[in-house]
């Protein structure tokens, strides 16, 4: 999958900003309403953006794209661009762990995720390698599917303000693609 158009509507009570991002084969365009005061220091370049996807496409691709036999199980980096901020999520294989969540039980691949703020951030925020408000790496467990894909079934983080946050899949349904010959 590759991003062509991405629209984000943030209703946070402050700016309530709408971002419209289009990425073509050799360029990108972005409009924001209200406009950003600046595009960060340094701003993302065309060359950098062309190697990314919007956050939704990047995560769907990560979750559903089969990995070749013998490939690094956690994959990555996941390259994200939201119209302003360019971020790389680095995934480190932390081995396999037995997990039991409502949607899946068994050996899962544990990945630790850290964030690299590449471009589009405030100058004083660009050297922080953790996701905002998270103490230590974000942990994600991937369930292996028969086709070589791995699907996130549990995500966990220790946060500064509210303690441990856990997201778990409640339903997982896998249906192989049927091809006609």
């Amino acid at each position: 999958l590759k991003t062509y158009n991405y629209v984000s509507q943030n209703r946070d009570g402050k700016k309530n900003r709408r971002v419209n991002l289009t990425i073509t084969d050799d360029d990108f365009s972005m409009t924001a309403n209200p406009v950003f005061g600046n595009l960060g220091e340094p701003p993302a370049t065309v060359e950098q953006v062309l190697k990314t996807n919007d956050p939704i496409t990047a995560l769907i691709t990560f979750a559903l794209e089969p990995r070749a036999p013998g490939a690094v199980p956690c994959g990555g980096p996941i390259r994200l661009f939201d119209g302003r901020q360019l971020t790389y999520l680095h995934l480190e294989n932390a081995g396999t762990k037995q997990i039991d969540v409502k949607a899946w039980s068994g050996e899962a691949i544990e990945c630790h995720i850290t964030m690299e703020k590449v471009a589009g951030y405030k100058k004083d925020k660009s050297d922080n390698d953790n996701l905002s408000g998270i103490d230590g790496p974000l942990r994600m467990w991937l369930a292996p599917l028969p086709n070589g894909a791995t699907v996130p079934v549990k995500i966990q983080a220790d946060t500064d303000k509210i303690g441990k946050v856990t997201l778990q899949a409640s339903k997982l349904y896998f249906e192989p693609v049927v091809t006609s010959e």
Side-chain angles (χ1 to χ4, degrees):
L1 295 177
K2 186 67 183 145
T3 299
Y4 171 71
N5 187 249
Y6 169 74
V7 177
S8 169
Q9 177 67 57
N10 181 2
R11 297 183 193 275
D12 65 0
K14 298 175 199 170
K15 299 278 185 191
N16 297 323
R17 180 174 283 124
R18 180 181 177 89
V19 174
N20 191 328
L21 169 68
T22 301
I23 302 175
T24 63
D25 289 339
D26 58 1
D27 204 0
F28 78 96
S29 63
M30 182 277 298
T31 56
N33 188 11
V35 298
F36 290 112
N38 65 62
L39 295 178
E41 184 59 40
T45 67
V46 172
E47 183 180 16
Q48 289 172 319
V49 171
L50 293 180
K51 297 175 184 174
T52 69
N53 273 318
D54 69 87
I56 302 298
T57 303
L59 295 174
I60 289 171
T61 301
F62 170 79
L64 300 179
E65 193 171 79
R67 287 168 184 64
V72 177
C74 293
I78 300 172
R79 294 176 176 95
L80 312 170
F81 182 63
D82 66 2
R84 180 174 185 236
Q85 296 177 328
L86 179 80
T87 308
Y88 290 177
L89 299 181
H90 296 280
L91 295 91
E92 178 186 343
N93 184 357
T96 58
K97 305 286 187 294
Q98 185 72 25
I99 67 161
D100 187 12
V101 296
K102 187 175 180 181
W104 192 83
S105 180
E107 287 282 316
I109 300 161
E110 182 177 349
C111 303
H112 291 183
I113 303 170
T114 55
M115 180 170 89
E116 178 185 358
K117 296 176 179 179
V118 177
Y121 287 89
K122 293 178 182 175
K123 193 172 184 87
D124 61 336
K125 301 283 186 186
S126 62
D127 61 352
N128 184 357
D129 66 355
N130 281 331
L131 300 169
S132 298
I134 294 177
D135 183 21
L138 180 78
R139 295 176 307 280
M140 176 171 55
W141 289 267
L142 305 173
L145 296 179
N147 70 346
T150 54
V151 177
V153 291
K154 182 177 178 180
I155 299 172
Q156 193 169 69
D158 294 320
T159 67
D160 296 336
K161 296 186 179 178
I162 60 173
K164 187 176 289 189
V165 174
T166 303
L167 304 172
Q168 297 183 77
S170 60
K171 186 175 185 179
L172 182 62
Y173 179 76
F174 175 71
E175 183 175 321
V177 175
V178 178
T179 58
S180 58
E181 294 182 25

